[in-house]
Amino acid sequence: MSSELKPRPTRDGFGEELVQLGYENPKIIVLSADLEDSTRAEYFKHKFPERFFNVGIAEQNMVGIAAGIAREGFTVFAASFAVFLTNRAYDFIRISVCYNDANVKLCGSHVGVTVGEDGATAQCLEDVSIMAVLPNMRIVCPVDYIEARKATRAIAQEYGPFYMRLSRAPYPIITSPDDEFKIGKASVLENGEDLTIISYGITVSESLKAAEELRKEGISARVINMSTLKPFDREAVIKAAEETGAILVVEEHQKINGLGSMIAMFLATSYNRFVPMEVIGINDEFGQTGKPYELLEFYGLDYKNIFRVAKELLKRKK
Amino acid sequence: MIEQKLSVKELKRLATEIRKKILLMTHKANSGHPGGSMSLVEILLALYFYKLRYDPKNPKWELRDRVVISKGHATPAVYAVLAKAGFFSEEELEGFRQFGSKLQGHVYFEVPGVEFNTGSLGQGLSAGIGMALASRYKGIDFNVYVILGDGEIQEGSIWESVMFASHHRIDNLCAILDYNKVQENGFVNEILKIEPLKDRWESFGWNYIEIDGHDFDQLFEALDAFTSNKGSGKPTIIVANTVKGKGVSFMEYNHAFHGRAPNKEELEKALKELDGGDNV
């Protein structure tokens, strides 16, 4: 843990690594729907203007063009706000990208209520569930700036459609450059035996804080950063169930069809014992205007609520 | 590559043959879209037997021209023409819309000669633009043809693509509009008017050509006009006036045959009409 480092938005890691990739690989093309300043895709634009297009405010066309270029052997990144990218262009993602198995990397920034003041329309809370149901699609959500750089590189190097979930809000730095990042592999940030907290994105650092508070009360919580949401690390989940006997999923995302749902279904259908489980997420409602941490707290995604729910969950553990 | 160009007389005979196949394929599958396939026959034949650069034995040949069938339901015509062009055997057409066959209901890229999967209208033009841009990046001069339905341009996404193509001066792109006047529930211009086409496309910065889409000579001329327009910076739209269900009296302009196959009786009647038609 290198907590003394200044928190940074994961979009920064994306933007910076993309430039590096641009130098290394002439077959990388980047498209933006007029939000490259916000997504940080503009770093690439400044270095490689001939391989960059701002398509205008036209997400469907952006995704379709991305698929067309990709089918010709290129690696295409298409970036916008997560809300517009995944929702507005959904049918294009489904057919032009996924059904065509096009090598397109969809990068959506501004996820979760921690977008803050822009309010409900800009706060993407359903992207994981709607991307997860698409065949061929894989989903990653880097936990900090450092992991965002690695994730950007990893998805560029792996063929096929990807969706990467990125933040506007600064995320605390909790990984180090030497940590391994592998698509499909979770990382255990804190070991524990009494329960496991599984999370992704900004709520991972809140989960770590909650684990710290729990430890003060003699409870040892394992904390897992599930940075690949599809396919998520099934082995890590089974191990958590086996070794800690209780699972709490925390996500800055709708609870319906989020990671909690996917893990619950997996355990119910693939694991022979009952594991008490709880999910903290958004309860089927839109976000609202506010300061990022104010909203995190209001929606129960902060460490204090994670701490409280974890203790409740333990009461259900036999 | 096309070894030898066919005469118009031979192409007309082929057109009739393809129309019969469309009827037989959809009848056997008891589903499919015969109307908008019958309208497309001459357009496809003009492409595959006159204009396109391709090698059916090497469908992924880097120098080939790309064809995106944005009206992805026109599979009966597309598959029949691809088989005729030598991409796969004509026996395989028997599998159309059958379980286990590559010949999916809507265009599918595992079928040799099919470039891009579509089936949700309004997407193929974007993909075609992507391919046309890729030609720039690769430094390989190929052309991209996108087949649009007339009802399809009611989709707003088409106009995002139309704006983009002219703004970025993509002149190796040719959209061909199969203007058969009829969509699933009736006449296009009664449901949602797409006219005035010339004014609209020209005002969006496209090179506009309008022809009779069943007349081979006009098709050849229009396709050649597209390639000689390269260098102008303008993408080309060929509006091909066609007849939905072309060649069979009771299917022509009949929206019932947009998405319904002919039954046994209708099939026999239709085949008889085609045999006696002036295309022979």
Side-chain angles (χ1 to χ4, degrees), chain A residues 29 50-51 53 55 58 60-61 64-65 67-69 71-72 74 91-92 95-96 99-100, chain B residues 66 108-109 116-117 120 122-123 126-127 129-131 133-134 137-138 157 160-161 164 168:
Chain A
I29 311 288
E50 72 290 349
R51 282 192 275 149
F53 282 97
V55 305
Q60 300 177 80
N61 191 38
I65 291 175
I69 302 176
R71 288 299 302 171
E72 292 288 331
F74 294 84
D91 189 35
F92 278 66
I95 298 299
S96 286
Y99 190 42
N100 279 286
Chain B
R66 274 64 164 168
Y108 186 52
F109 60 14
F116 198 79
N117 299 339
S120 173
Q123 299 199 20
S126 302
I129 288 171
M131 293 172 190
L133 288 173
Y137 287 126
K138 290 177 169 182
S157 59
E160 295 181 4
S161 315
F164 183 96
H168 291 282

Side-chain angles (χ1 to χ4, degrees), chain B residues 37-51:
Chain B
S37 294
M38 311 269 279
S39 59
L40 193 57
V41 173
E42 283 81 6
I43 295 169
L44 290 174
L45 288 174
L47 282 170
Y48 284 91
F49 291 90
Y50 174 76
K51 189 68 183 172

